């Protein structure tokens, strides 16, 4: 019994040390056109996201290899196991990634860069549940929305503008002349994804509960594009 308590204490101490270390790291700057410095991103939030995903992975008995992604897109696959049931922790984790990522996009970079930032956030959220059969419909809609945003950015990209950097991720800018049109198209894409998420839950009340929470988080990202 003493041995188990000692091991648990060590684990808590290590986790606490990771969080404290992250909090002490200097905030990184965001590169924007003209050398202007924007509000620093929150390094603690990134570390907590990593710890959250690591907790999911360590709690599973098997970790099959998931899909690989273009490194330039900065999408991660945490390789979660193929669990068949819906899980409140996983749903909350997906919502957290969307909400925390949206806040980082809003606080760290200018409006013209936020479309590409949101595209990345949704791709990361999709990657956490693609290996889970009961979440695959939700993952498909998140991935589809991410790709639609990628298309919008590509169509209206300001190729003369430098990329904005937040940590190790970089984002493309939409031209200011097409900003309103990009907002309208992105807003329509978000609304469509919310509708599809709700419909894909089917007749299962349990799926409806989990999918509606994810749909609500996705719908809230429209505020990011309007701000």
């Amino acid at each position: 019994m003493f041995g188990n308590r000692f091991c648990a204490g060590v684990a808590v101490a290590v986790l606490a040390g990771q969080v404290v270390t992250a909090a002490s790291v200097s905030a990184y700057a965001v590169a924007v056109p003209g050398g202007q410095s924007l509000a620093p991103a929150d390094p603690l939030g990134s570390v907590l996201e990593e710890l959250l995903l690591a907790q999911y992975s360590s709690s599973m008995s098997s970790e099959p290899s998931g899909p690989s992604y273009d490194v330039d897109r900065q999408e991660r696959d945490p390789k979660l196991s193929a669990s068949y049931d819906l899980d409140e922790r996983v749903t909350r984790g997906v919502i957290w990634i969307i909400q925390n990522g949206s806040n980082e996009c809003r606080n760290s970079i200018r409006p013209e860069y936020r479309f590409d930032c949101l595209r990345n956030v949704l791709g990361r959220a999709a990657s956490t549940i693609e290996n889970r059969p009961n979440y695959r419909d939700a993952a498909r809609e998140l991935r589809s929305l991410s790709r639609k945003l990628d298309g919008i950015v590509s169509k209206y990209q300001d190729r003369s503008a430098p990329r904005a950097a937040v940590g190790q991720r970089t984002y493309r800018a939409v031209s200011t002349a097409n900003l309103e049109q990009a907002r309208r198209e992105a807003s329509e894409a978000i609304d469509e994804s919310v509708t599809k998420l709700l419909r894909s839950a089917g007749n299962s009340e349990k799926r409806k509960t989990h999918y509606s929470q994810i749909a609500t988080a996705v719908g809230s990202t429209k505020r990011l594009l309007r701000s």
Side-chain angles (χ1 to χ4, degrees), residues 102-128:
S102 296
N103 288 336
E104 183 178 272
C105 293
R106 182 177 61 251
N107 297 330
S108 302
I109 50 182
R110 295 200 315 224
E112 58 265 35
Y113 291 95
R114 293 174 186 169
F115 300 88
D116 204 27
C117 187
L118 181 57
R119 183 269 311 161
N120 180 275
V121 169
L122 293 168
R124 295 192 338 252
S127 74
T128 66

Short mmCIF file of all heavy atoms in Angstrom, two decimals, residues 102-128:
data_model
loop_
_atom_site.label_atom_id
_atom_site.label_comp_id
_atom_site.label_asym_id
_atom_site.label_seq_id
_atom_site.Cartn_x
_atom_site.Cartn_y
_atom_site.Cartn_z
N SER A 102 -9.35 28.06 -30.56
CA SER A 102 -10.01 29.27 -31.06
C SER A 102 -9.58 30.50 -30.27
O SER A 102 -9.35 31.58 -30.84
CB SER A 102 -11.53 29.11 -30.99
OG SER A 102 -11.98 28.07 -31.83
N ASN A 103 -9.46 30.34 -28.96
CA ASN A 103 -9.01 31.46 -28.14
C ASN A 103 -7.58 31.87 -28.50
O ASN A 103 -7.25 33.06 -28.53
CB ASN A 103 -9.07 31.08 -26.65
CG ASN A 103 -10.48 30.99 -26.13
OD1 ASN A 103 -11.40 31.62 -26.69
ND2 ASN A 103 -10.70 30.22 -25.08
N GLU A 104 -6.74 30.88 -28.77
CA GLU A 104 -5.36 31.17 -29.16
C GLU A 104 -5.34 31.91 -30.50
O GLU A 104 -4.58 32.87 -30.68
CB GLU A 104 -4.54 29.89 -29.26
CG GLU A 104 -3.07 30.13 -29.60
CD GLU A 104 -2.28 28.83 -29.65
OE1 GLU A 104 -1.77 28.42 -28.59
OE2 GLU A 104 -2.19 28.24 -30.74
N CYS A 105 -6.18 31.48 -31.43
CA CYS A 105 -6.25 32.15 -32.73
C CYS A 105 -6.71 33.60 -32.56
O CYS A 105 -6.17 34.51 -33.21
CB CYS A 105 -7.24 31.43 -33.65
SG CYS A 105 -6.74 29.76 -34.16
N ARG A 106 -7.69 33.82 -31.71
CA ARG A 106 -8.23 35.17 -31.53
C ARG A 106 -7.25 36.09 -30.81
O ARG A 106 -7.10 37.26 -31.17
CB ARG A 106 -9.54 35.11 -30.73
CG ARG A 106 -10.18 36.49 -30.54
CD ARG A 106 -11.51 36.41 -29.81
NE ARG A 106 -11.37 35.84 -28.48
CZ ARG A 106 -11.81 34.64 -28.13
NH1 ARG A 106 -12.40 33.87 -29.02
NH2 ARG A 106 -11.67 34.21 -26.91
N ASN A 107 -6.54 35.55 -29.83
CA ASN A 107 -5.67 36.38 -29.00
C ASN A 107 -4.27 36.58 -29.57
O ASN A 107 -3.54 37.48 -29.13
CB ASN A 107 -5.55 35.78 -27.60
CG ASN A 107 -6.87 35.75 -26.87
OD1 ASN A 107 -7.73 36.60 -27.09
ND2 ASN A 107 -7.05 34.77 -26.00
N SER A 108 -3.87 35.75 -30.51
CA SER A 108 -2.48 35.75 -30.94
C SER A 108 -2.23 36.34 -32.33
O SER A 108 -1.12 36.80 -32.59
CB SER A 108 -1.91 34.32 -30.92
OG SER A 108 -2.00 33.77 -29.63
N ILE A 109 -3.21 36.31 -33.20
CA ILE A 109 -2.97 36.75 -34.57
C ILE A 109 -4.11 37.60 -35.10
O ILE A 109 -5.23 37.56 -34.59
CB ILE A 109 -2.75 35.55 -35.52
CG1 ILE A 109 -3.84 34.51 -35.34
CG2 ILE A 109 -1.38 34.94 -35.31
CD1 ILE A 109 -3.66 33.27 -36.20
N ARG A 110 -3.81 38.36 -36.14
CA ARG A 110 -4.78 39.27 -36.72
C ARG A 110 -5.86 38.52 -37.48
O ARG A 110 -5.69 37.35 -37.85
CB ARG A 110 -4.05 40.25 -37.65
CG ARG A 110 -3.09 41.15 -36.90
CD ARG A 110 -2.74 42.41 -37.68
NE ARG A 110 -2.44 42.18 -39.09
CZ ARG A 110 -1.42 42.77 -39.71
NH1 ARG A 110 -0.58 43.53 -39.03
NH2 ARG A 110 -1.23 42.57 -41.00
N PRO A 111 -7.00 39.19 -37.74
CA PRO A 111 -8.15 38.52 -38.37
C PRO A 111 -7.85 37.79 -39.67
O PRO A 111 -8.41 36.72 -39.92
CB PRO A 111 -9.14 39.67 -38.60
CG PRO A 111 -8.82 40.63 -37.50
CD PRO A 111 -7.33 40.56 -37.33
N GLU A 112 -6.98 38.34 -40.51
CA GLU A 112 -6.73 37.72 -41.80
C GLU A 112 -6.00 36.37 -41.69
O GLU A 112 -5.99 35.57 -42.63
CB GLU A 112 -5.94 38.66 -42.72
CG GLU A 112 -4.61 39.10 -42.17
CD GLU A 112 -4.67 40.43 -41.45
OE1 GLU A 112 -5.72 40.71 -40.80
OE2 GLU A 112 -3.70 41.20 -41.52
N TYR A 113 -5.41 36.10 -40.52
CA TYR A 113 -4.70 34.83 -40.31
C TYR A 113 -5.57 33.79 -39.60
O TYR A 113 -5.17 32.63 -39.50
CB TYR A 113 -3.44 35.06 -39.48
CG TYR A 113 -2.36 35.83 -40.19
CD1 TYR A 113 -2.25 37.20 -40.04
CD2 TYR A 113 -1.43 35.18 -41.01
CE1 TYR A 113 -1.26 37.92 -40.69
CE2 TYR A 113 -0.43 35.89 -41.66
CZ TYR A 113 -0.36 37.26 -41.50
OH TYR A 113 0.63 37.95 -42.15
N ARG A 114 -6.71 34.19 -39.11
CA ARG A 114 -7.48 33.31 -38.23
C ARG A 114 -8.17 32.17 -38.97
O ARG A 114 -8.47 31.14 -38.37
CB ARG A 114 -8.51 34.13 -37.44
CG ARG A 114 -7.83 35.07 -36.45
CD ARG A 114 -8.82 35.98 -35.76
NE ARG A 114 -8.12 36.97 -34.92
CZ ARG A 114 -8.70 38.02 -34.37
NH1 ARG A 114 -10.00 38.22 -34.56
NH2 ARG A 114 -7.99 38.86 -33.64
N PHE A 115 -8.44 32.33 -40.25
CA PHE A 115 -9.06 31.25 -41.03
C PHE A 115 -8.12 30.04 -41.08
O PHE A 115 -8.54 28.91 -40.88
CB PHE A 115 -9.36 31.73 -42.46
CG PHE A 115 -10.29 32.91 -42.52
CD1 PHE A 115 -9.80 34.20 -42.46
CD2 PHE A 115 -11.66 32.73 -42.65
CE1 PHE A 115 -10.64 35.29 -42.52
CE2 PHE A 115 -12.52 33.81 -42.71
CZ PHE A 115 -12.01 35.10 -42.65
N ASP A 116 -6.87 30.30 -41.34
CA ASP A 116 -5.89 29.22 -41.43
C ASP A 116 -5.63 28.62 -40.05
O ASP A 116 -5.42 27.41 -39.91
CB ASP A 116 -4.58 29.74 -42.02
CG ASP A 116 -3.75 28.63 -42.67
OD1 ASP A 116 -4.34 27.63 -43.11
OD2 ASP A 116 -2.52 28.78 -42.73
N CYS A 117 -5.67 29.47 -39.03
CA CYS A 117 -5.49 29.00 -37.65
C CYS A 117 -6.63 28.07 -37.25
O CYS A 117 -6.41 27.00 -36.68
CB CYS A 117 -5.40 30.19 -36.71
SG CYS A 117 -4.97 29.76 -35.00
N LEU A 118 -7.85 28.47 -37.57
CA LEU A 118 -9.02 27.63 -37.25
C LEU A 118 -8.98 26.34 -38.04
O LEU A 118 -9.35 25.28 -37.52
CB LEU A 118 -10.31 28.40 -37.54
CG LEU A 118 -11.62 27.66 -37.23
CD1 LEU A 118 -11.67 27.22 -35.77
CD2 LEU A 118 -12.82 28.53 -37.58
N ARG A 119 -8.54 26.40 -39.28
CA ARG A 119 -8.37 25.18 -40.08
C ARG A 119 -7.47 24.18 -39.36
O ARG A 119 -7.77 22.99 -39.29
CB ARG A 119 -7.76 25.58 -41.44
CG ARG A 119 -7.57 24.46 -42.42
CD ARG A 119 -6.22 23.79 -42.33
NE ARG A 119 -5.13 24.74 -42.30
CZ ARG A 119 -3.91 24.43 -41.85
NH1 ARG A 119 -3.65 23.23 -41.38
NH2 ARG A 119 -2.95 25.33 -41.85
N ASN A 120 -6.39 24.67 -38.78
CA ASN A 120 -5.46 23.81 -38.06
C ASN A 120 -6.08 23.24 -36.79
O ASN A 120 -5.93 22.06 -36.49
CB ASN A 120 -4.20 24.60 -37.73
CG ASN A 120 -3.17 23.80 -36.98
OD1 ASN A 120 -3.25 23.69 -35.76
ND2 ASN A 120 -2.22 23.23 -37.69
N VAL A 121 -6.80 24.07 -36.06
CA VAL A 121 -7.45 23.64 -34.81
C VAL A 121 -8.44 22.50 -35.08
O VAL A 121 -8.44 21.48 -34.37
CB VAL A 121 -8.18 24.83 -34.14
CG1 VAL A 121 -9.09 24.34 -33.01
CG2 VAL A 121 -7.17 25.84 -33.61
N LEU A 122 -9.26 22.64 -36.09
CA LEU A 122 -10.25 21.62 -36.41
C LEU A 122 -9.59 20.33 -36.88
O LEU A 122 -10.06 19.23 -36.59
CB LEU A 122 -11.22 22.15 -37.48
CG LEU A 122 -12.11 23.30 -37.02
CD1 LEU A 122 -12.81 23.93 -38.20
CD2 LEU A 122 -13.12 22.83 -35.98
N GLY A 123 -8.49 20.47 -37.61
CA GLY A 123 -7.74 19.27 -38.02
C GLY A 123 -7.18 18.53 -36.84
O GLY A 123 -7.20 17.29 -36.79
N ARG A 124 -6.68 19.25 -35.85
CA ARG A 124 -6.14 18.61 -34.65
C ARG A 124 -7.25 17.94 -33.85
O ARG A 124 -7.07 16.84 -33.31
CB ARG A 124 -5.41 19.64 -33.78
CG ARG A 124 -4.19 20.20 -34.46
CD ARG A 124 -3.25 21.00 -33.58
NE ARG A 124 -3.77 21.56 -32.36
CZ ARG A 124 -3.99 22.87 -32.18
NH1 ARG A 124 -3.82 23.73 -33.16
NH2 ARG A 124 -4.40 23.32 -31.02
N ALA A 125 -8.41 18.59 -33.77
CA ALA A 125 -9.54 18.00 -33.05
C ALA A 125 -9.99 16.71 -33.74
O ALA A 125 -10.27 15.70 -33.07
CB ALA A 125 -10.69 19.00 -32.98
N ALA A 126 -10.04 16.73 -35.07
CA ALA A 126 -10.45 15.52 -35.81
C ALA A 126 -9.48 14.38 -35.57
O ALA A 126 -9.88 13.22 -35.44
CB ALA A 126 -10.53 15.84 -37.31
N SER A 127 -8.19 14.70 -35.48
CA SER A 127 -7.18 13.65 -35.35
C SER A 127 -7.28 12.89 -34.03
O SER A 127 -6.80 11.77 -33.92
CB SER A 127 -5.77 14.24 -35.50
OG SER A 127 -5.39 14.98 -34.35
N THR A 128 -7.92 13.48 -33.02
CA THR A 128 -8.02 12.81 -31.72
C THR A 128 -9.10 11.73 -31.70
O THR A 128 -9.12 10.90 -30.78
CB THR A 128 -8.31 13.81 -30.59
OG1 THR A 128 -9.61 14.37 -30.77
CG2 THR A 128 -7.27 14.93 -30.57
#
